[in-house]
Amino acid sequence: MTPAPRLNRDGEAVWRRFKLHLEWSEHFALVFIFNADPRVTEVFRERLADIHRARVTRMRRFECADPAELADSLLPKLLTTGAITLDAPYWVDLSLHAEAPWRAARMNFLARLNEQRESLRRRLLKDVGETPAALRDLSVSLNDVGGVAQALARWDEARTAYRDALAVAEMLAQAMPQDDDYRNLRASFARSQRS
């Protein structure tokens, strides 16, 4: 039997940040993992599935057989109100296929998902209200959207998403200065936007 892949020290640090982000995201999180080693991605997927095996909400895994399914079928399914308000994670591995049609479909999927950022935000706030936790979730997710836009070299979109995330984080820090989570959110974003 082949031993399960392990993470090195840097990988464990990324896992801890990823897990903390998910713990903070009580209602909604949009997280992207960019990684060239499928074994590392598998470790993250398995750990996330392990966390949810002990809960009522199980992780759902989506796979597409055809590149057109990403934007035509999967994206609408992920953007439905029921999907974004469940506490179960959805795992979508966009790195399974390296062929040109899949690369183009991935870029289109991520661009269209980014375009839906504002409607997701409005739906989330409508569903869960403007509670501090919901606003924190929104802020963290907007910061992640900025990271995706930056990775795609969409500088204006990245700047807008980062600015929006920071504005929400600053509002929370001012409204709740005694809460370390909200105070530290700004510093966390500043570090992630520099890397």
Side-chain angles (χ1 to χ4, degrees):
M1 183 171 174
T2 306
R6 299 177 57 121
L7 299 177
N8 63 19
R9 187 174 57 184
D10 291 340
E12 289 294 345
V14 172
W15 167 255
R16 283 190 301 275
R17 282 197 330 259
F18 173 77
K19 188 174 177 221
L20 179 63
H21 172 81
L22 294 178
E23 289 167 355
W24 280 7
S25 302
E26 296 170 6
H27 302 290
F28 175 77
L30 182 59
V31 180
F32 296 91
I33 302 170
F34 291 95
N35 181 41
D37 188 342
R39 295 171 303 174
V40 172
T41 305
E42 185 63 18
V43 169
F44 274 58
R45 189 191 66 74
E46 277 300 318
R47 287 182 179 184
L48 184 61
D50 287 345
I51 289 169
H52 283 272
R53 277 190 186 96
R55 299 179 183 178
V56 174
T57 57
R58 303 276 186 195
M59 183 175 79
R60 294 184 57 192
R61 188 172 183 180
F62 290 108
E63 293 182 12
C64 296
D66 182 88
E69 289 180 37
L70 284 176
D72 296 342
S73 301
L74 180 58
L75 187 63
K77 191 179 294 184
L78 292 174
L79 295 176
T80 63
T81 303
I84 67 167
T85 58
L86 292 175
D87 289 331
Y90 289 76
W91 185 271
V92 180
D93 190 343
L94 298 179
S95 65
L96 295 175
H97 305 281
E99 300 85 16
W102 282 97
R103 285 193 307 271
R106 276 192 295 275
M107 296 297 283
N108 181 44
F109 176 85
L110 291 171
R112 290 189 48 202
L113 184 62
N114 189 43
E115 291 166 1
Q116 296 296 318
R117 176 179 74 233
E118 181 61 22
S119 67
L120 279 172
R121 183 190 72 79
R122 281 194 305 266
R123 225 175 315 160
L124 176 65
L125 292 177
K126 178 179 165 247
D127 290 348
V128 300
E130 291 193 27
T131 65
L135 291 171
R136 182 195 60 216
D137 296 352
L138 171 64
S139 185
V140 171
S141 295
L142 284 170
N143 191 65
D144 287 344
V145 168
V148 170
Q150 184 177 0
L152 296 173
R154 295 173 180 240
W155 309 117
D156 290 338
E157 291 176 21
R159 194 174 302 110
T160 299
Y162 283 145
R163 185 186 62 233
D164 293 348
L166 191 56
V168 175
E170 287 175 347
M171 179 184 69
L172 283 167
Q174 289 172 3
M176 304 182 79
Q178 74 285 1
D179 193 313
D180 287 339
D181 284 346
Y182 302 129
R183 258 197 340 262
N184 296 334
L185 201 54
R186 287 183 296 190
S188 173
F189 288 169
R191 282 191 304 277
S192 71
Q193 291 170 17
R194 282 192 295 260
S195 56

